[in-house]
Amino acid sequence: DRRFRQWRLSTKLVWLRQYIAAAEKAKAKVAVGTGMYVEGITRVTKFLENEDVWVGRLLQKWFGKSHVIILDGSVSPVADGSGMSPRDQLIQKWRTDPEAWILLISMKACPDSIDLTLKKMKGIRQLWLTAIGLGWKPWDQFRSRFYREGQTYPIEYQTPILEDTIEEAVLDLNEAKLE
C-alpha cells in the first residue's frame, strides 16, 4: 500500500524514543511491553519493503543493535544443546548484561513464570517500564514480571495515553471502577 511508503513516526513512537533516551541518561534499563504478537512491533511486517517501519528495527537503529533485546512468541522456550532455551538465554542476557539495556517484549513471551527482575550490574541505577499496545489488565501482568522478590532496583512505570482515544476512555473507565 503506497500510504505506508511515505510515513512519519507516530506520536507514541516519538514519545518512546524520547523516553528511552531519557532512560539512557538516567542509567536505567528499559523494558517496552507490547500486545500478544504484533507485526510491525516485535517482527517485520510482511507487506512492507521498508523494514525501518518495524519498531524493533527502529530501536536498534536509534540506540544500537547490541543494546536491544527482542523477545516475542517466536523465541523458543525449549532448551537446546546448551541446556538453556533461546528464550532463557535472552532473559539471562537482560538480567545480567548492562550493555543490553533495552528489552522489547511481547505478552506472548511473558507467561506468569517468567522472572525479569535484574541482577546488580555496574552502571545501572534503575529500571523503567513502558508499554505500547497493552490494555489495562495485560499492563498489570507485564509489570508483575519485573517486580518480584529480589528486585533491587527502583522501578518507574510509564505508558503513553493519547488524548481523545479509546485508550483514554478505557483508562477513565478503569479509574472510575477503582473509586
Side-chain angles (χ1 to χ4, degrees):
D1 190 314
R2 67 179 169 77
R3 292 174 294 175
F4 289 106
R5 290 194 183 105
Q6 298 295 321
W7 69 284
R8 288 183 249 170
L9 292 179
S10 72
T11 303
K12 279 191 178 181
L13 286 178
V14 170
W15 178 88
L16 182 62
R17 185 179 191 177
Q18 293 168 348
Y19 180 79
I20 293 174
E24 182 178 24
K25 287 179 184 167
K27 304 284 188 208
K29 278 201 167 207
V30 180
V32 180
T34 70
M36 290 301 282
Y37 176 86
V38 186
E39 275 206 45
I41 295 180
T42 60
R43 307 209 90 234
V44 177
T45 57
K46 294 176 184 161
F47 62 90
L48 293 175
E49 295 171 15
N50 181 0
E51 290 187 358
D52 283 344
V53 177
W54 173 42
V55 175
R57 181 82 69 225
L58 285 172
L59 293 177
Q60 291 171 340
K61 182 177 173 182
W62 294 336
F63 301 102
K65 191 171 183 174
S66 65
H67 300 299
V68 180
I69 296 172
I70 299 172
L71 185 57
D72 65 10
S74 70
V75 179
S76 176
V78 178
D80 59 13
S82 72
M84 286 182 77
S85 71
R87 181 177 71 186
D88 290 341
Q89 290 172 17
L90 288 177
I91 291 169
Q92 183 68 12
K93 183 174 183 174
W94 162 253
R95 295 181 78 202
T96 60
D97 183 352
E99 294 300 311
W101 60 276
I102 301 169
L103 175 66
L104 179 61
I105 186 166
S106 73
M107 283 302 293
K108 188 170 185 176
C110 255
D112 288 339
S113 61
I114 294 285
D115 179 355
L116 296 168
T117 58
L118 299 176
K119 305 289 185 198
K120 276 290 188 191
M121 286 172 267
K122 185 176 181 167
I124 300 296
R125 294 189 187 143
Q126 54 190 324
L127 171 61
W128 289 14
L129 303 178
T130 190
I132 49 178
L134 282 185
W136 181 264
K137 186 167 171 107
W139 170 241
D140 241 9
Q141 293 168 344
F142 173 71
R143 289 187 320 193
S144 72
R145 304 312 183 264
F146 298 89
Y147 190 76
R148 300 205 175 186
E149 191 174 323
Q151 177 61 276
T152 56
Y153 289 97
I155 300 176
E156 176 186 304
Y157 304 107
Q158 245 186 63
T159 188
I161 304 293
L162 302 179
E163 289 183 35
D164 301 322
T165 64
I166 190 75
E167 289 175 325
E168 183 182 45
V170 169
L171 181 64
D172 291 344
L173 178 64
N174 283 319
E175 285 176 349
K177 287 179 181 181
L178 293 173
E179 292 176 358

